Amino acid sequence: MSAPHGINPNIPHSARVYDYWLGGKDNFEADRRVAEQTMAAVPGIRESARNNRAFLGRAVRHLSRLGVRQFLDLGTGIPSQGNTHEVAQAEAPESRVVYVDNDPIVMAHARALLTSTPEGRTAYIEADVREPRTILEHPDTLATLDFTQPIALVMVAILMHISDADDPEGLVKAYAQALPAGSYLVLSHLTLDLIDKRTADDYVSATSSQAMHRTPRTGEQISRYFDGFDLLEPGLVAVSKWRETPLFPDEPAWMYAGVGRKR
């Protein structure tokens, strides 16, 4: 693919690395190089990424069947199969989704590919998830979502890109405070808890020199994001074990996942 104006194809980006792992084509040589280097050092991480994508679909489908019709998807990533609005609107065509990302390539593809059903609505905001007020008060957000009705806050594989200095726990609380009771948090996060120490060390070694920032966190740290929420069964578990059958059940689990309902 050619690089749009203002995009440096020589600098890898996490969304495009993830796109490569999912089998997409919207990535550059720099992204593919990082993706392949990481896969060589830590076999199974591509399959874990695909399990994570499958978790998104299962969670959105489950919430849709519980009656949720509104979704705020933070850190959208490059559109792939099973996007949030596709899953939600397949269950309920009137579903509404706001996508948020700060990568111009992501948003260019989002506007072209993430088209809503006539009954529903999608909006796309180019913004930094570390600025909750900008997103929550954005005119497109307010025109799409009704904050008096339950909303599913989707934070799938996004908080691992937020450093401790940027207070990810505080960010989750800022978004959660804006949601009415009965809303949901859909979250997955990179962890090293679920793999053996040697593989964890290999991962740290493989990624320590990469420009992209990723912070693995423990299950205890990740569970704190659900303060004020009641976790649905089966709780906070390996991403491959959150309901139904995973795509790659035998691959190492690199991520925790959970869905909680706001009290």
Side-chain angles (χ1 to χ4, degrees):
M1 63 178 286
S2 59
H5 177 71
I7 299 297
N8 186 343
N10 298 314
I11 299 177
H13 190 285
S14 57
R16 296 189 293 269
V17 171
Y18 191 58
D19 173 73
Y20 178 78
W21 284 340
L22 294 180
K25 299 179 180 179
D26 298 307
N27 46 74
F28 300 117
E29 177 59 32
D31 306 306
R32 295 189 285 273
R33 184 165 57 249
V34 167
E36 291 286 351
Q37 288 171 350
T38 307
M39 288 163 54
V42 284
I45 198 163
R46 176 178 59 183
E47 289 75 14
S48 183
R50 295 182 179 185
N51 274 337
N52 181 65
R53 185 69 178 185
F55 158 71
L56 169 65
R58 294 199 301 274
V60 170
R61 188 177 304 110
H62 181 70
L63 294 185
S64 295
R65 292 174 180 176
L66 290 179
V68 177
R69 299 292 179 263
Q70 304 187 105
F71 298 82
L72 176 57
D73 189 336
L74 303 180
T76 302
I78 294 172
S80 184
Q81 293 182 344
N83 300 296
T84 297
H85 79 286
E86 292 173 328
V87 177
Q89 292 181 349
E91 295 291 331
E94 70 274 22
S95 297
R96 294 176 164 231
V97 180
V98 173
Y99 290 106
V100 181
D101 209 293
N102 65 347
D103 186 338
I105 284 185
V106 169
M107 298 317 295
H109 285 282
R111 292 188 176 95
L113 298 176
L114 302 182
T115 55
S116 175
T117 59
E119 302 94 330
R121 180 167 180 171
T122 56
Y124 327 100
I125 300 172
E126 189 171 338
D128 192 324
V129 299
R130 294 171 296 182
E131 300 174 357
R133 179 172 294 182
T134 298
I135 293 165
L136 293 168
E137 297 179 359
H138 194 285
D140 289 346
T141 300
L142 298 176
T144 305
L145 304 179
D146 177 358
F147 280 81
T148 69
Q149 299 297 316
I151 296 170
L153 175 65
V154 180
M155 304 187 80
V156 170
I158 181 63
L159 290 174
M160 64 192 197
H161 299 291
I162 306 295
S163 69
D164 291 339
D166 287 320
D167 188 16
E169 192 173 339
L171 286 175
V172 176
K173 289 180 179 178
Y175 285 105
Q177 287 171 355
L179 305 180
S183 293
Y184 291 86
L185 172 61
V186 178
L187 186 147
S188 65
H189 196 296
L190 177 68
T191 187
L192 301 182
D193 286 5
L194 304 173
I195 55 177
D196 62 84
K197 185 179 184 304
R198 179 176 178 180
T199 304
D201 290 344
D202 288 345
Y203 172 83
V204 172
S205 176
T207 60
S208 61
S209 63
Q210 293 177 5
M212 299 178 301
H213 175 79
R214 289 185 290 258
T215 301
R217 294 186 170 96
T218 65
E220 181 181 357
Q221 291 173 307
I222 297 166
S223 67
R224 292 201 291 268
Y225 297 139
F226 287 95
D227 286 352
F229 292 83
D230 294 319
L231 278 166
L232 305 187
E233 292 294 336
L236 186 68
V237 295
V239 70
S240 59
K241 295 183 178 179
W242 198 89
R243 298 176 180 263
E244 303 180 24
T245 303
L247 294 174
F248 303 98
D250 298 325
E251 292 300 331
W254 290 90
M255 304 189 81
Y256 275 119
V259 177
R261 186 178 189 273
K262 185 177 178 181
R263 302 186 191 105

